[in-house]
Amino acid sequence: MPTPWIARVLERTLIVAFPTPYRVLSWAPLNGGLVEARTILNHQVDIHASSLLEPQAYLSALVQSLGVESPTVGLMTGVLIERLVRTTVQGEAMTLECFATAGLSNALTVGDPATYNERPGTINLIVTCNQPLAPPALVEAIQIITEAKVQALYAAKISSTVSATLATGTGTDCVAVACPHGESAYQYCGKHTRLGELLGRVVRDAMTEGVRRTGVKEV
């Protein structure tokens, strides 16, 4: 089944374009929060560039240079865009796709001592759904995505870079969930729902492959 969104990589940027404004929930540096967007970007940056000190201005300029439709939600990563992973699952009338870039040099576990010596590694997860989701389902989707990410990190036995515990992510992870407008087909997406099952699976599979592509061995 074809997806209603179109995804392509242009130079160092993943571009996910929607046919109509989609509802997007994220904490992305450009247009984070609960917003309407026509496009989501995940851009590979030069981690040494001074322009990254102002990520909103940097990403806004990128949107203009790429000529993509606005409003746009923008994510940034130091991970090579060639390591992008795409996974799709389908069930009944539902299609979910996960776009993942995984870097682990900044791996941390929740509750680790705060450090301002950030490394470039990050995990960005963009998940798109072809069915309208109610606001509670969008919020719960963040939980399911995070649990799937942690499950993959635990399975690979990835350790925190500052403590002797298994990592639950990195210090700069970002998640974006997108769905069309309309009468909400799903109010919730917990683990007792078909939506939660498929969401967890598509993210877990993407993360598992993303971790494999980092070349990091179990520690």
Side-chain angles (χ1 to χ4, degrees):
M1 181 183 297
T3 62
W5 50 84
I6 297 174
R8 61 192 174 106
V9 173
L10 182 60
E11 296 181 352
R12 296 183 298 156
T13 305
L14 166 68
I15 303 170
V16 183
F18 304 114
T20 59
Y22 267 39
R23 182 182 290 127
V24 180
L25 180 63
S26 78
W27 58 92
L30 179 65
N31 293 326
L34 181 58
V35 301
E36 290 187 1
R38 289 299 302 267
T39 313
I40 302 179
L41 305 180
N42 186 17
H43 176 65
Q44 177 195 330
V45 298
D46 176 358
I47 60 174
H48 302 295
S50 59
S51 57
L52 299 185
L53 296 175
E54 298 182 2
Q56 289 186 351
Y58 178 92
L59 288 168
S60 294
L62 176 68
V63 169
Q64 293 294 320
S65 67
L66 292 174
V68 299
E69 287 198 71
S70 295
T72 302
V73 172
L75 290 71
M76 306 168 73
T77 180
V79 176
L80 294 175
I81 202 66
E82 289 82 1
R83 295 212 324 243
L84 171 70
V85 178
R86 296 177 61 173
T87 55
T88 306
V89 296
Q90 296 178 344
E92 294 79 45
M94 191 186 330
T95 300
L96 293 163
E97 187 166 11
C98 180
F99 305 85
T101 50
L104 300 174
S105 58
N106 191 28
L108 298 170
T109 194
V110 63
D112 271 345
T115 173
Y116 297 100
N117 184 24
E118 293 183 3
R119 301 182 183 184
T122 193
I123 298 171
N124 281 348
L125 297 168
I126 299 169
V127 180
T128 51
C129 179
N130 70 334
Q131 298 293 325
L133 306 180
L138 277 171
V139 174
E140 194 169 23
I142 298 290
Q143 174 192 333
I144 295 296
I145 291 167
T146 302
E147 288 190 37
K149 175 185 70 175
V150 173
Q151 181 187 42
L153 293 174
Y154 270 44
K157 299 181 180 177
I158 303 300
S159 291
S160 165
T161 57
V162 301
S163 66
T165 56
L166 292 177
T168 56
T170 80
T172 51
D173 290 354
C174 191
V175 171
V177 186
C179 69
H181 282 278
E183 184 176 351
S184 299
Y186 300 91
Q187 292 294 318
Y188 303 100
C189 68
K191 291 184 284 295
H192 290 296
T193 69
R194 178 66 166 159
L195 172 59
E197 172 195 341
L198 295 177
L199 180 60
R201 188 191 308 167
V202 75
V203 176
R204 181 194 61 202
D205 291 350
M207 274 296 305
T208 298
E209 175 60 16
V211 170
R212 187 193 69 79
R213 292 187 186 185
T214 66
V216 176
K217 298 180 179 179
E218 293 184 3
V219 290

